[in-house]
Amino acid sequence: MTSRVLADSLSGAADVLAYIPSPAQGVWQLGPFPLRAYALCIIAGIIVAIWWGERRWRERGGQPGAVLDVAMFAVPFGLIGGRLYHVATDWQKYFGADGNAIDALKIYQGGLGIWGAVAFGAVGAWIGCRIYKIPLPAFGDAVAPAILLAQAIGRLGNWFNQELYGRETEVPWGLEIYRRVGDDGRLDMMGGVSTGVVDKVVHPTFLYELLWNVLVVIALVYVDRRYRIGHGRLFALYVAGYSFGRFFVELMRDDEATHIAGIRINSFTSAVVFLLAIAYFVFATKGRETAEQLQPAAGRPWPWQIGALRTFGAAGAVPGDPDGVGASADSGTEEPESGDATEDAEAKDATGSGDAKESDLAGAEDVAEPGDAKGETVSAEAKTPGEKPEPPAESATSPGMKATETTPDPDLAKSSGDSGNAEATVRDNGTESGAESGATKSSGSRQNDS
């Protein structure tokens, strides 16, 4: 009697644990705002991908912050592309006889085609890498395992939505699909609340894909550390590995889908993308990029700095400028957004004219010293202790003032010789004209800048 009761209890426990239950609901109302588990899983996956991708990029020698910068472009493009692919391949649900075209915009109800997300996300990443001067293949290698892990996390959203499951089955790990109803009492399998009634038991294909993704992530990390591959080849392995598993997962599904030559479109796409990814892996450049090759050419502006982005894309930012707003002097494509550039130009002109005047005055001091019959200059230190030194030449204090000419002692002028006088005259005249020229240039530059 006791053994029979024990056997019955074990049998009952086995029946309870035989199948995987679905969540009772996937949407919770927080006042007027619905909190959707599907959206939370997608957001969690994006956060993990950016965090881990950033760590991997820095380990390869990349500049910190680059992954977040590029993600500002890649993530929106990926979401739009994923939705477009889903709507295009299941267009009957939205534009068919019983469809509603407005539902195509309701991305929170699920429906993101991974192929469209990867394709459009790659376009967004290419734009970001072009702006920030980052090599796209190396960037893809760094974020490839992180992207696939994000896909695995996102598959949990399919579990909450009771979608992306396979054919009916009796395997012990089958998934129970509950009948759900909304607040109005109508059937709502995705957004409603479970009634406790099991509608059917199916293959949890979302779980199969999740586990396969995790295995490929581990394989990618191992291959990357063991063989140190680069130039986009690790990203190609990610695409090939995911496509291989997705092909067989699609064979287990029997829900409504578009077919090409009798084959589900996702199976067809998986096979084609797999072959293309393998071809790239075979023919792409071997080895890995150096840390120097991953560095951008100059400072990186934030994605929301529109003016700085235009400057960066047109002429490149000035090295060392953290905001990336400086442009090269010869670009001529962007005007300064504030008066700082004008003030800097004026300061440079004033400094340049001052330097010119100092050099001219230095040339004026090289006139022949009195008592030097050959016209050679004699330094002040070389004079006899009892000799009175010559007073220094007065320097110009403003761009418009001429340099003061040096006048030799009248008593000693005769002994200096004709050659010395001629040399002094030429140099004094050169000093005067040089000062006038520098003043004219500085004045003209100030007028142009103002």
Side-chain angles (χ1 to χ4, degrees):
M1 180 69 178
T2 303
S3 60
R4 180 178 298 176
V5 172
L6 180 61
D8 292 341
S9 62
L10 291 176
S11 176
D15 293 338
V16 172
L17 298 176
Y19 300 123
I20 301 174
S22 292
Q25 62 189 103
V27 183
W28 298 267
Q29 289 294 138
L30 299 179
F33 303 101
L35 182 63
R36 301 181 183 276
Y38 181 84
L40 293 178
C41 291
I42 296 296
I43 294 173
I46 293 174
I47 293 175
V48 170
I50 294 175
W51 172 77
W52 192 22
E54 173 69 16
R55 290 192 58 181
R56 286 179 49 81
W57 177 251
R58 288 160 55 185
E59 290 173 357
R60 298 171 79 93
Q63 187 174 9
V67 174
L68 179 59
D69 291 342
V70 177
M72 298 288 288
F73 295 89
V75 171
F77 272 78
L79 293 176
I80 294 174
R83 188 60 176 178
L84 289 177
Y85 181 88
H86 168 74
V87 173
T89 54
D90 292 330
W91 61 271
Q92 300 92 342
K93 297 180 181 179
Y94 308 100
F95 305 103
D98 299 330
N100 185 4
I102 300 299
D103 291 341
L105 303 176
K106 298 178 180 179
I107 192 173
Y108 53 82
Q109 292 184 353
L112 289 175
I114 187 61
W115 310 115
V118 172
F120 275 65
V123 172
W126 175 78
I127 295 174
C129 288
R130 288 275 296 179
I131 292 176
Y132 297 119
K133 310 297 183 183
I134 297 173
L136 179 61
F139 183 86
D141 290 335
V143 301
I147 293 177
L148 190 54
L149 182 60
Q151 292 178 218
I153 297 174
R155 283 299 171 221
L156 292 175
N158 303 130
W159 181 46
F160 281 95
N161 277 1
Q162 292 192 141
E163 61 180 356
L164 200 63
Y165 51 78
R167 298 187 296 271
E168 294 190 35
T169 183
E170 296 181 355
V171 297
W173 57 86
L175 177 68
E176 293 179 338
I177 300 299
Y178 297 147
R179 184 168 299 179
R180 295 175 176 177
V181 296
D183 295 336
D184 55 359
R186 296 182 179 180
L187 185 66
D188 188 355
M189 297 295 291
M190 185 176 297
V193 180
S194 173
T195 60
V197 177
V198 178
D199 195 51
K200 53 186 174 180
V201 178
V202 297
H203 276 287
T205 51
F206 80 91
L207 181 60
Y208 300 160
E209 185 174 330
L210 186 156
L211 296 176
W212 174 255
N213 289 351
V214 173
L215 291 176
V216 176
V217 167
I218 296 174
L220 291 175
V221 173
Y222 172 79
V223 170
D224 190 36
R225 292 180 178 178
R226 176 67 176 82
Y227 300 101
R228 298 183 60 82
I229 62 177
H231 299 283
R233 299 175 74 221
L234 189 69
F235 189 86
L237 282 183
Y238 143 65
V239 175
Y242 174 78
S243 301
F244 183 82
R246 182 62 183 266
F247 177 85
F248 292 100
V249 169
E250 285 293 324
L251 296 180
M252 305 180 68
R253 297 176 59 183
D254 64 348
D255 55 332
E256 182 181 358
T258 304
H259 291 72
I260 297 179
I263 302 175
R264 292 174 62 93
I265 188 170
N266 284 333
S267 296
F268 184 84
T269 305
S270 299
V272 173
V273 173
F274 172 79
L275 295 176
L276 294 176
I278 292 298
Y280 182 91
F281 177 81
V282 172
F283 296 107
T285 304
K286 307 299 186 293
R288 176 182 289 187
E289 299 87 346
T290 62
E292 290 74 13
Q293 292 176 303
L294 306 185
Q295 303 303 319
R300 304 182 337 274
W302 288 99
W304 50 81
Q305 293 177 314
I306 305 300
L309 287 178
R310 289 198 301 266
T311 302
F312 200 106
V318 176
D321 184 5
D323 295 329
V325 297
S328 60
D330 58 347
S331 63
T333 56
E334 291 291 329
E335 298 180 356
E337 297 181 359
S338 64
D340 295 340
T342 305
E343 295 176 0
D344 293 342
E346 293 177 357
K348 291 180 180 179
D349 292 338
T351 303
S353 61
D355 293 341
K357 286 178 283 186
E358 290 178 4
S359 63
D360 293 339
L361 292 176
E365 292 176 0
D366 290 338
V367 298
E369 290 290 341
D372 187 2
K374 296 181 180 180
E376 297 176 354
T377 59
V378 180
S379 62
E381 292 78 1
K383 295 181 180 180
T384 59
E387 184 178 356
K388 183 178 179 181
E390 291 293 333
E394 296 180 2
S395 60
T397 58
S398 64
M401 184 181 295
K402 297 182 180 180
T404 304
E405 301 178 2
T406 57
T407 305
D409 190 348
D411 296 336
L412 300 178
K414 296 180 180 180
S415 60
S416 61
D418 296 337
S419 61
N421 290 335
E423 182 180 357
T425 302
V426 172
R427 294 189 179 185
D428 292 343
N429 292 338
T431 302
E432 181 178 349
S433 61
E436 290 178 353
S437 176
T440 303
K441 291 180 179 180
S442 176
S443 177
S445 177
R446 289 175 179 270
Q447 292 177 0
N448 292 336
D449 291 339
S450 61

